[in-house]
Amino acid sequence: MSDIKLTAKDFVSDQEVRWCPGCGDYAILKAVQRTLADVEAKTENTVFVSGIGCAARFPYYMKTYGFHGIHGRAPSIATGIKLANPDLDVWVVSGDGDALSIGGNHFVHLVRRNVDVQFLLFNNEIYGLTKGQFSPTSRVGTRSPSTPHGSIENPLSAALVALGAGAHFVARGVDNAQKQLVATLTRAHAFKGTSFVEIFQNCIVFNDGIFTEFTAKDKVAVKQVYVEHGKPLLFGKDHALGLRIKPGTLSLEIVTLGEQGISADDILVHDETDRALAALLADMNGDKLPIAIGVLYCKPGHIFEVEIRKLVQRESSGTTSNLNDVLRAGHTWTVADT
Amino acid sequence: MPETPLNAQIKSPSRQTLESAVVRFSGDSGDGMQITGGQFMLATAVAQNNLSTFPDYPSEIRAPIGTTFGVSAFQINFGSRVIKTAGDNFDVLVAMNPAALKVELAGLKIGGIILLDVGSFQERNIHRANYEIDPRTDGSLDAYRVIELDISKLTLDAVASLGLSKEKGLSKKEALRCKNFWALGFVYWMFDRLRTPTVDWLKTKFAKRPQIAAANIAALNAGHALAETMEISDGLSSFSVAKAPNIEPGLYRTITGAEAMAWGLAVGAKLADLRLVFCSYPITPASPVLHALSHMVEHDIVTFQAEDEIAAVCAAIGASYAGSLGVTSSSGPGIALKGEALGLAVSTEQPLVVINTQRAGPSTGLPTKTEQSDLLQALYGRNGEAPIVVIAARSPGDCFNVAIEASKIATKYMTPVMVLSDGYIGNASEPWLIPDIDQLEKFPINLHKEGEYFDSTVRDEVTLARPWAIPGTPNLEHHIGGLEKSYETGEISSDPQNHQKMTDLRAAKIDGVVRDIPDQHVESGADSGKLVIVGWGSTYGPISRAVNNLQEAGVDVSHVHVRHIWPLPQNLGDLLAGFDHILVPEMNCGQFVKVLRDQYLLDAKGLNKMTGQPFKIVELEDAIRAHLEAAK
Ligand code: SF4
């Protein structure tokens, strides 16, 4: 079986998909199945782990191993799986409430440890499954059943949190940009360590259109910059716009090619190994500056479960000690048969 | 003064023979009382006495020096007869400062011996211990035999004879720190203990700083020598406690409950032929289990210090799901946090071992004090109907057996098993006959490898366990989770009848564990009669001693000690029904007694204590007598 090349369809389970019609999750599901086929993943070696929320239904729809856990705790379950068997290919699927609110602690520590999993955060800036309450990524003023007067809290930036926690791979995608998303997921899959991918996902029922300011067809070119390592940070119609460090500051600004003497050489070239640049890119929110999509940061580091295995191997190699010896180490005495 | 050879036991004609004795070492947290007590225990074990210890830590991490709440103590009961507890009141008190004297005096037997370091009895220290006036002057010690020595100065003198100085690697502060070993040497003389094991221990412990080892050994020897002199000149009492007869022959060591638990888990995993993945978050008094296992990586044991209690249990669940033996360990507050995840393990039918080293609650409570108040939490502390198996360890060494049994049941029935230990048995130590692991029965698990992952026929007919199909196995890809699952397919189902069926199945599966549980036996006494004392967990020692004492006095009383809290042994109800009265001593407000009354409709009565301290034998004896009196 493993010799036959699987197609995206081979990753589709027999379970009926229960998301609302028109939900952005469908497109992400498709992109993930496509990616798995492209990277020639094996169904038996692939595990999808989730917590609670709309996104957390994801494992049921995959014809792979799937563990639907409890709210916020998918990173911990995934860590346990990798501790038991580092060879498994583990994907964590989470949402903004699941990963950043109830599971914020586990998210931060998964990333900090750099456990080798793909972590997909479906960010729709709302609680869908519980019917529309504001979430930790909801913008100030979000009206919801629990904030009828508009939310007061500041939202957090998932990508900045990940970077702050020491993430080694931070990327972004959009549910309706299938090709880019597959490319980003493919990179995430290839990366060894926690690959964090924030995916802007439209909740058609409770938060419809929250991202249209940069996902609408006519906005993509001017409000998104698709970043690629080694390439200039160009965007806009015909790539007429670019990003550069605003002279005398530590911030980015938009410049127009050919205006005020700006040439292609003035445009900042994306270096995905530069954490400071990644933070600047992650901080762009589509308001004054475009939103950055693609692989913002990628710099391998040591991997938690791999280091543990190395430690076990180092300590056990050459030792002839068994558990009987452990029990007999230290001071012992013999009571003779009388 | 002639120095007695280290390994010589002195057969002084004046030594008084004792069947057993209780010694308590007490001092400031910084005085090294736990080490002192631990060494005395070792020497006592080597003398082949039976023994039981009780390390009593202060609840403050760094209490101000000299205060009563900074007092740290170590109590040991040892003898030539069977020893079941660390002893009620003590015969000898070593008090390294006024605060220790203040805290401990009430526990000393009238006529008991106090070894007092008067070097610490400065005005300031006396005041810090909340004494109005110096207790040595107000007659409050008249009922005891007080040995007043300036141990601090004697220690400095002894160490000075080595000619060490700060420049030669030993500061005055470090020299003074040897005073616990001076006191230990003194007590060694009193009880005729060998110094060799302690000297060896010091040499190994301070292999990198031989000056420290030498200083401590000098202090130990000086204390020993002075006692010898004082016996002759001052009539210092000295004792001998004979070897305990009828000790099962074999190789022994001392073991704490935490060590026994750690090793039991390691051995349990080995017998199941699984990797142990132990996931925990630091908490008093459970952390020593994590520490012990962290030293065992070379045996393919993975320990994971998680970011919190919930992460710890979830990682353990993930590890079990992926084919290891997942274990999590904590104390009551941590177990409360793990509650939801335990429900997940029930719903997804994961083999999981959960250790609860109980402490006094509620909330943060008294972290260093002991209680048995998490029994109902273990049985019922989850949302929904989420039955699990609960087993309780009765002594430090028993933790080893219980951990192995838990591993076996968890993997055989695909269920969480909670092991109840407590702060008392976790920290206490006792001599332990070291088993040969190769002689223990293996219980290799059966991973599901072939066919379908799941259909209605795939459950084990007897145990009702689901198949354990781990990721990485071809053709068994499946979905699992906390949502209710179809009995037929294992996929999610919200069918009402199915939920009833699955609820019944989960209960029946746990009830069925009774097949693997031995019938309840009577610990001592007749198997029916006037009164039975029913205990569980760490009350084993005091109950069995109290009951034995009463039996010797002709009282009709039996002792039943329950290990399997859930499911209960099959015959327990009938057994207890054979007694006119049932008394259940517990370090809680009556939790097990509730279960017994509920399960068997028996008129069991509780005997409850909530002081954070174990039962004293005499307390139990008095209560049992009073109970019998009232029942007349
Ligand atoms: S509620 Fe929103 S996020 Fe959830 S399935 Fe429906 S559209 Fe998707």
Side-chain angles (χ1 to χ4, degrees):
Chain A
M1 166 164 176
S2 50
D3 295 340
I4 308 164
K5 197 170 167 348
L6 300 180
T7 67
K9 274 212 184 76
D10 293 314
F11 291 92
V12 178
S13 83
D14 60 358
Q15 295 295 297
E16 186 192 337
V17 184
R18 298 265 186 92
W19 289 311
C20 306
C23 173
D25 289 355
Y26 284 93
I28 306 173
L29 177 63
K30 228 175 110 200
V32 171
Q33 287 163 339
R34 169 87 267 143
T35 305
L36 288 174
D38 288 356
V39 302
E40 299 185 20
K42 288 189 178 143
T43 54
E44 72 265 25
N45 273 344
T46 307
V47 188
F48 279 83
V49 186
S50 64
I52 295 292
C54 292
R57 292 293 182 111
F58 201 95
Y60 292 110
Y61 309 140
M62 297 298 301
K63 200 178 166 190
T64 63
Y65 281 91
F67 196 139
H68 181 201
I70 45 177
H71 209 7
R73 321 303 173 196
S76 311
I77 297 171
T79 302
I81 292 172
K82 293 295 280 190
L83 287 174
N85 184 356
D87 298 331
L88 293 171
D89 190 6
V90 177
W91 298 71
V92 179
V93 179
S94 187
D96 37 312
D98 192 56
L100 302 171
S101 199
I102 192 166
N105 192 23
H106 313 306
F107 169 66
V108 164
H109 291 281
L110 177 91
V111 165
R112 174 175 74 82
R113 294 187 184 105
N114 201 28
V115 180
D116 183 20
V117 300
Q118 290 74 248
F119 191 104
L120 312 186
L121 183 124
F122 298 7
N123 183 5
N124 56 18
E125 297 190 5
I126 209 79
Y127 281 84
L129 194 67
T130 52
K131 301 206 184 325
Q133 300 83 356
F134 77 106
S135 91
T137 52
S138 295
R139 288 161 228 182
V140 174
T142 299
R143 286 181 192 276
S144 82
S146 57
T147 49
H149 307 290
S151 63
I152 293 166
E153 302 171 19
N154 289 314
L156 58 72
S157 156
L160 282 176
V161 169
L163 283 169
H168 289 267
F169 183 101
V170 176
R172 279 207 189 122
V174 179
D175 56 3
N176 68 3
Q178 190 73 189
K179 230 179 100 193
Q180 281 176 359
L181 188 53
V182 170
T184 301
L185 291 175
T186 303
R187 289 277 322 267
H189 183 266
F191 183 77
K192 297 283 169 242
T194 306
S195 16
F196 171 68
V197 185
E198 177 185 23
I199 304 168
F200 298 108
Q201 172 250 326
N202 190 41
C203 170
I204 196 165
V205 173
F206 296 110
N207 217 10
D208 192 22
I210 192 71
F211 300 122
T212 44
E213 67 222 43
F214 62 87
T215 60
K217 276 211 172 66
D218 57 331
K219 293 284 171 47
V220 173
V222 284
K223 283 294 183 182
Q224 288 184 25
V225 52
Y226 185 66
V227 304
E228 287 176 277
H229 185 59
K231 294 195 180 163
L233 294 164
L234 292 167
F235 64 108
K237 204 162 174 285
D238 303 324
H239 275 189
L241 304 172
L243 294 171
R244 70 163 184 180
I245 300 285
K246 189 174 178 184
T249 73
L250 271 178
S251 55
L252 296 171
E253 70 172 353
I254 299 174
V255 290
T256 308
L257 287 178
E259 278 181 15
Q260 291 165 343
I262 298 286
S263 76
D265 292 345
D266 297 309
I267 305 304
L268 200 56
V269 172
H270 182 43
D271 176 0
E272 67 183 18
T273 66
D274 184 338
R275 194 152 171 261
L277 176 60
L280 286 175
L281 293 173
D283 202 31
M284 304 193 303
N285 62 8
D287 181 12
K288 291 200 178 72
L289 296 167
I291 199 128
I293 305 294
V295 180
L296 277 53
Y297 185 61
C298 175
K299 194 173 188 185
H302 75 265
I303 298 158
F304 185 56
E305 70 275 20
V306 172
E307 293 303 314
I308 288 185
R309 285 263 74 83
K310 277 193 209 156
L311 176 70
V312 169
Q313 262 149 28
R314 194 180 70 219
E315 293 296 310
S316 56
S317 80
T319 169
T320 50
S321 150
N322 59 32
L323 289 177
N324 259 335
D325 300 328
V326 172
L327 270 51
R328 283 157 181 77
H331 198 90
T332 60
W333 68 95
T334 304
V335 173
D337 222 334
T338 45
Chain B
M1 174 185 354
E3 177 62 30
T4 317
L6 274 181
N7 57 356
Q9 274 179 301
I10 298 89
K11 295 287 160 259
S12 162
S14 57
R15 280 195 187 277
Q16 189 187 331
T17 304
L18 298 177
E19 207 189 13
S20 69
V22 179
V23 176
R24 190 165 172 106
F25 297 92
S26 186
D28 198 67
S29 304
D31 285 341
M33 290 297 102
Q34 301 304 325
I35 290 174
T36 313
Q39 288 302 310
F40 191 83
M41 170 181 72
L42 193 63
T44 299
V46 170
Q48 296 194 15
N49 293 146
N50 272 317
L51 66 91
S52 176
T53 71
F54 178 40
D56 199 1
Y57 303 104
S59 31
E60 311 292 325
I61 301 167
R62 293 223 193 297
I65 293 173
T67 54
T68 51
F69 42 92
V71 170
S72 173
F74 187 100
Q75 184 168 324
I76 177 165
N77 183 7
F78 55 102
S80 55
R81 64 167 184 173
V82 178
I83 299 294
K84 297 193 163 176
T85 73
D88 287 2
N89 291 352
F90 23 99
D91 302 286
V92 176
L93 168 66
V94 177
M96 300 302 284
N97 68 2
L101 182 67
K102 173 101 183 180
V103 170
E104 312 289 4
L105 194 62
L108 183 64
K109 286 180 189 163
I110 298 297
I113 297 171
I114 308 172
L115 174 60
L116 214 54
D117 178 14
V118 297
S120 66
F121 270 66
Q122 300 91 350
E123 188 75 39
R124 193 178 34 150
N125 277 343
I126 293 170
H127 190 70
R128 271 199 195 135
N130 295 328
Y131 276 121
E132 301 272 310
I133 44 170
D134 190 334
R136 296 171 297 167
T137 60
D138 66 357
S140 60
L141 304 181
D142 287 355
Y144 312 96
R145 286 181 282 166
V146 188
I147 305 164
E148 294 186 36
L149 293 170
D150 190 341
I151 297 178
S152 305
K153 180 172 180 300
L154 288 162
T155 302
L156 287 176
D157 291 349
V159 176
S161 68
L162 295 173
L164 288 171
S165 61
K166 200 166 180 185
E167 293 68 42
K168 290 184 183 160
L170 194 86
S171 66
K172 185 177 171 196
K173 210 169 150 194
E174 284 169 326
L176 191 59
R177 256 199 226 129
C178 301
K179 66 183 179 184
N180 58 332
F181 278 86
W182 195 99
L184 183 64
F186 193 91
V187 184
Y188 274 0
W189 163 264
M190 288 175 68
F191 286 97
D192 201 12
R193 309 277 92 152
L194 292 182
R195 280 165 286 160
T196 351
T198 297
V199 168
D200 291 347
W201 180 85
L202 281 165
K203 283 180 178 163
T204 321
K205 171 93 182 163
F206 297 109
K208 292 217 177 87
R209 293 204 59 197
Q211 309 90 329
I212 304 261
N216 278 302
I217 293 167
L220 180 81
N221 289 337
H224 194 264
L226 188 72
E228 186 174 1
T229 319
M230 282 177 68
E231 186 201 13
I232 299 152
S233 61
D234 304 81
L236 171 68
S237 308
S238 64
F239 310 94
S240 80
V241 180
K243 273 187 196 174
N246 308 326
I247 297 185
E248 205 181 323
L251 187 68
Y252 280 79
R253 66 171 304 130
T254 58
I255 195 168
T256 65
E259 283 167 339
M261 192 71 80
W263 295 347
L265 290 169
V267 171
K270 182 77 55 193
L271 295 174
D273 200 16
L274 292 172
R275 170 178 295 153
L276 178 64
V277 178
F278 182 89
C279 310
S280 185
Y281 183 75
I283 184 170
T284 303
S287 303
V289 184
L290 168 65
H291 303 165
L293 285 167
S294 299
H295 282 97
M296 292 169 70
V297 280
E298 73 266 35
H299 302 285
D300 199 15
I301 287 165
V302 173
T303 57
F304 172 48
Q305 181 180 315
E307 61 272 22
D308 65 22
E309 298 283 359
I310 301 173
V313 62
C314 286
I317 290 171
S320 286
Y321 165 72
S324 290
L325 178 61
V327 180
T328 190
S329 161
S330 188
S331 188
I335 300 293
L337 286 167
K338 295 180 199 290
E340 186 197 12
L342 292 182
L344 177 69
V346 169
S347 178
T348 57
E349 302 182 60
Q350 302 294 346
L352 177 75
V353 178
V354 185
I355 313 291
N356 181 357
T357 306
Q358 301 166 90
R359 67 190 215 185
S363 185
T364 309
L366 299 167
T368 59
K369 302 299 170 193
T370 198
E371 232 168 67
Q372 297 181 297
S373 45
D374 298 345
L375 181 127
L376 293 179
Q377 179 195 44
L379 291 178
Y380 308 122
R382 291 166 294 283
N383 63 305
E385 294 291 347
I388 63 172
V389 178
V390 181
I391 316 179
R394 60 163 64 171
S395 70
D398 192 40
C399 292
F400 182 80
N401 310 320
V402 165
I404 293 176
E405 188 180 7
S407 312
K408 185 175 176 180
I409 294 174
T411 49
K412 180 169 177 181
Y413 287 86
M414 299 293 284
T415 175
V417 177
M418 191 178 293
V419 172
L420 294 177
S421 170
D422 61 34
Y424 177 62
I425 48 180
N427 286 321
S429 51
E430 62 181 4
W432 186 57
L433 177 60
I434 307 173
D436 180 358
I437 293 162
D438 300 332
Q439 301 302 314
L440 299 176
E441 191 201 340
K442 293 193 167 62
F443 42 91
I445 45 97
N446 253 335
L447 285 180
H448 191 45
K449 290 267 169 63
E450 312 262 314
E452 291 282 306
Y453 161 62
F454 206 92
D455 62 36
S456 55
T457 65
V458 85
R459 276 186 190 279
D460 187 286
E461 271 174 41
V462 180
T463 64
L464 301 179
R466 74 162 175 101
W468 196 359
I470 64 169
T473 319
N475 304 321
L476 297 183
E477 294 87 348
H478 64 275
H479 308 125
I480 204 165
L483 285 171
E484 185 62 285
K485 283 152 290 294
S486 158
Y487 179 86
E488 306 291 333
T489 66
E491 291 286 355
I492 44 182
S493 161
S494 51
D495 175 63
Q497 290 315 315
N498 179 72
H499 181 52
Q500 181 73 55
K501 195 166 183 176
M502 289 301 288
T503 304
D504 297 345
L505 172 98
R506 286 185 284 264
K509 185 169 90 160
I510 300 304
D511 289 346
V513 172
V514 82
R515 273 185 301 268
D516 283 285
I517 289 175
D519 268 355
Q520 182 64 50
H521 67 280
V522 178
E523 209 62 47
S524 71
D527 53 12
S528 65
K530 200 159 178 55
L531 174 66
V532 61
I533 311 300
V534 183
W536 67 277
S538 73
T539 52
Y540 174 76
I543 294 177
S544 71
R545 170 61 71 207
V547 168
N548 286 351
N549 288 350
L550 291 169
Q551 284 166 344
E552 278 167 24
V555 179
D556 178 9
V557 57
S558 299
H559 175 201
V560 162
H561 213 76
V562 182
R563 164 192 297 256
H564 299 99
I565 307 294
W566 201 264
L568 291 160
Q570 208 134 32
N571 66 330
L572 183 64
D574 290 342
L575 177 68
L576 298 185
F579 291 90
D580 299 342
H581 300 281
I582 304 165
L583 187 62
V584 187
E586 296 178 83
M587 295 185 286
N588 59 40
C589 293
Q591 300 196 3
F592 192 49
V593 73
K594 266 198 188 72
V595 176
L596 293 176
R597 293 175 68 98
D598 168 49
Q599 291 297 306
Y600 305 124
L601 288 177
L602 289 167
D603 187 19
K605 296 270 191 324
L607 170 59
N608 306 102
K609 175 169 178 175
M610 290 288 285
T611 61
Q613 300 286 335
F615 277 106
K616 286 188 180 345
I617 295 162
V618 50
E619 270 171 8
L620 287 169
E621 286 181 30
D622 291 350
I624 294 167
R625 283 185 194 279
H627 192 79
L628 282 169
E629 202 54 43
K632 268 189 188 153

